[in-house]
Amino acid sequence: MLRWMALATAIVVAAAVLALDHFYGPLSWVTIAAAIGGFGGTAMMTAALMGLVFLSSGTGHDERVKDID
């Protein structure tokens, strides 16, 4: 599963860099690095947060909120 997410992220990042290059012309290495960090970081953060949501729900932590009273 992790391989598929990494592959999907790599494809999205490559497509975004190519789209930026197409619309704005030749990019400097700083712009490419920023795009990779921004798009890749966003995709990985989204995957990590979704994993935590499923982990929290699957282990019963969400139901324990009702037991505070």
Side-chain angles (χ1 to χ4, degrees):
M1 187 65 170
L2 185 61
R3 279 186 266 175
W4 292 109
M5 187 61 192
L7 179 63
T9 301
I11 290 171
V12 167
V13 168
V17 170
L18 288 174
L20 287 173
D21 186 55
H22 175 74
F23 289 115
Y24 293 106
L27 303 174
S28 69
W29 67 272
V30 174
T31 307
I32 293 171
I36 290 171
F39 292 119
T42 300
M44 287 298 143
M45 181 64 76
T46 302
L49 290 175
M50 283 300 295
L52 287 174
V53 167
F54 286 117
L55 178 68
S56 174
S57 175
T59 57
H61 290 301
D62 293 344
E63 285 79 26
R64 279 197 254 161
V65 174
K66 297 177 194 172
D67 299 335
I68 290 178
D69 296 335

